[in-house]
Amino acid sequence: MNSVRWFAALLIAVALLAGTLSDTVRKNPPLMTGDYRVLAADFHVHSFPLSWATLAPWDTVLEAQRQGLDAIAITCHNHVWVAEVGRWFSHLIGGPTILVGEEIVTPTYHLLAIGIDHTIDWRQPAAAAIDEVHRQGGVAIAAHPLVKYWTAFDSNAMSKLDGSEVLHPLGYVWPLAYVQFQQFYARRRLTAIGDSDYHGLGPLGMCRTYVFARDDSPSAIVDALRAGHTVVYDHDGRSYGDPELIRLASQDQRFNPHQSDAPPPTLLVTLSRVTGVAGLFVLILFA
Amino acid sequence: MNYGTSKSRWSSDVQVMLRPAAAYQELAKLPDAPSNWLAVRRPLLFAFVLGCTVSFAASGRLTLRLVAPATIYAALIAVIEVLALAAVRARVSSKTSPSFSISLDLFFTGFGPWLLWLLSFAAFWAFASPVDAFRWTGPRWDLYVVGPLALWSGYIDFCFFRYVFHTTRWSAARDLLFQRGISWTLAAIIFGGGSLWSEIVRSLGI
């Protein structure tokens, strides 16, 4: 190996060492407030393969654990088997609660089916898909309800819908999208949901939902979603959800509504970033 | 064996990126010395860079927890590219093309634009805030960057088929389409197959 390759390899090795040493799990001790267990959750998470995601289900579970999430729903596109693998793996390692879900991707709407056990066919109107979600004991949530999807949610579908994503990364990138999410959420009393629509980019749980449930079991979480027992906070401090729960959370000083904010990078993280990017550039351009 | 072109300070990837026709004509003249390492080194590099990009994008650092598995999943893409190249090579006369290991090495030398894009993407996710990274790597980025990148990469691979496999312009264009048709279709099915059909229905307005 020539000296340039050695130099690139050294930089990458330093990056891997620093990055691996700094890769720790955020500890979130269980929080009880009132009669509720407060759970940090993300209900819109994709995993490799088949859903344009980069992390396999076991990596996704570990990443959720690292981000201090108590529960996630793995919602792959139009199938549930990858989510079942994730649930099995999390059970094996004592990880976060995994709800089996599906993002029903159709040409006219996207719908999250949370807490189901079989794949739901995408070739049906929204109201029929929601009926099927309910028949399987799950809850139906409108995924990133941009105005282009609104016509699919007719009055029949709206009357059956359980919740909608009022906070989604698109809202931070495109202010008009955020307005549309708020307008859709205001159409009727829906469970407020904040999701990261995770495909492997950025922090899992960047947008998250605080669920006020009786415990952290999948059935308790689904019951809480059905009852509207959620609170969502955006990065500007705006809150959505059950007003009584927002008040309850604000009175509890142990509750941190900004858990999703990325902590400032440590020295090791910065070292990993700088040497990693530099090493890869040297390797490709000069080695 | 160092399979580079003239004694430039830049890697052969960069030379192929900047002047693909001349670089591939020069590389094709080098003696054919097939080896297993030549066959796997660049596909492995491609998978490793993809694995590193995944780690930067997901956790903002290079961690073995993500780099190792993501490199393995990314190797699937490299394998798909190898299979697609093998399918094209099977149609080309073995008298005019170099050994398969050298064909592979030279073909993956043309992945420079994708590697640079992956690295830029990784650097964005490593150093920018998640909101800024989303803003600059969202759909608009896809439209303005990935489109021209696909054309650039297409031209490089066209030069590869033309000058390494010694084919005519039309044959090189046909080989390019054939290779892309196989590799991109397989990759789309493996990575996004769950919603592919409904997305096709939406795109066609059926």
Side-chain angles (χ1 to χ4, degrees), chain A residues 2 5 12 15-20 22-24 48-56 58-59 62-63 66-67 77-79 105-108 110 122-123 148-149 169-170 172-174 196 198 200-204 206 235 262 266 269-270 272-274 276-277 280-281 283-287, chain B residues 2 9-14 17 37 41-42 45 48-49 52-54 56-67 69-70 73 76 112 115-116 119-123 125-128 130-131 134-139 187-199 201-202 206:
Chain A
N2 63 32
R5 280 186 205 168
I12 293 169
L16 278 168
L17 186 66
T20 305
S22 65
D23 190 15
T24 52
F48 172 85
L50 303 174
S51 295
W52 299 117
T54 55
L55 302 185
W58 40 88
D59 302 319
L62 295 175
E63 192 57 26
R66 191 176 76 84
Q67 294 291 347
H77 290 161
N78 298 339
H79 71 273
V105 178
T106 81
T108 54
H110 289 200
W122 58 271
R123 287 159 291 200
K148 65 180 176 182
Y149 299 127
L170 254 185
Y172 289 131
V173 174
W174 187 32
S196 64
Y198 189 72
L201 297 178
L204 178 53
M206 172 187 172
H235 286 190
T266 61
V269 173
T270 306
S272 176
R273 290 173 179 176
V274 173
V277 170
L280 289 169
F281 268 111
L283 187 65
I284 287 165
L285 295 180
F286 303 107
Chain B
N2 182 10
R9 73 170 58 182
W10 299 99
S11 65
S12 41
D13 307 60
V14 175
M17 257 192 286
W37 173 238
R41 63 174 191 172
R42 286 188 190 278
L45 172 71
F48 179 68
V49 172
C52 290
T53 304
V54 167
F56 274 125
S59 70
R61 75 200 78 185
L62 281 190
T63 166
L64 276 175
R65 176 177 63 82
L66 291 170
V67 172
Y73 317 142
L76 255 180
L115 292 178
L116 269 191
L119 276 184
S120 310
F121 193 83
W125 280 96
F127 294 108
V131 171
F134 267 115
R135 189 170 291 140
W136 289 103
T137 60
I189 290 170
I190 291 171
F191 281 84
S195 59
L196 213 52
W197 192 242
S198 73
E199 282 162 11
V201 169
R202 181 182 58 80
I206 300 170

Side-chain angles (χ1 to χ4, degrees), chain B residues 28 32 89-99 164-167:
Chain B
D32 196 342
R89 193 168 173 277
R91 295 153 46 114
V92 178
S93 164
S94 58
K95 289 178 185 168
T96 60
S97 59
S99 64
V164 176
F165 283 178
H166 302 288
T167 56

Side-chain angles (χ1 to χ4, degrees), chain A residues 177-216:
Chain A
Y178 199 177
V179 172
Q180 291 173 9
F181 298 154
Q182 290 172 324
Q183 287 173 343
F184 187 87
Y185 173 68
R187 283 171 87 173
R188 63 168 276 251
R189 187 184 161 86
L190 291 165
T191 300
I193 300 292
D195 284 338
S196 64
D197 195 353
Y198 189 72
H199 286 261
L201 297 178
L204 178 53
M206 172 187 172
C207 298
R208 57 181 69 187
T209 307
Y210 295 99
V211 183
F212 291 66
R214 61 177 187 276
D215 55 54
D216 63 353

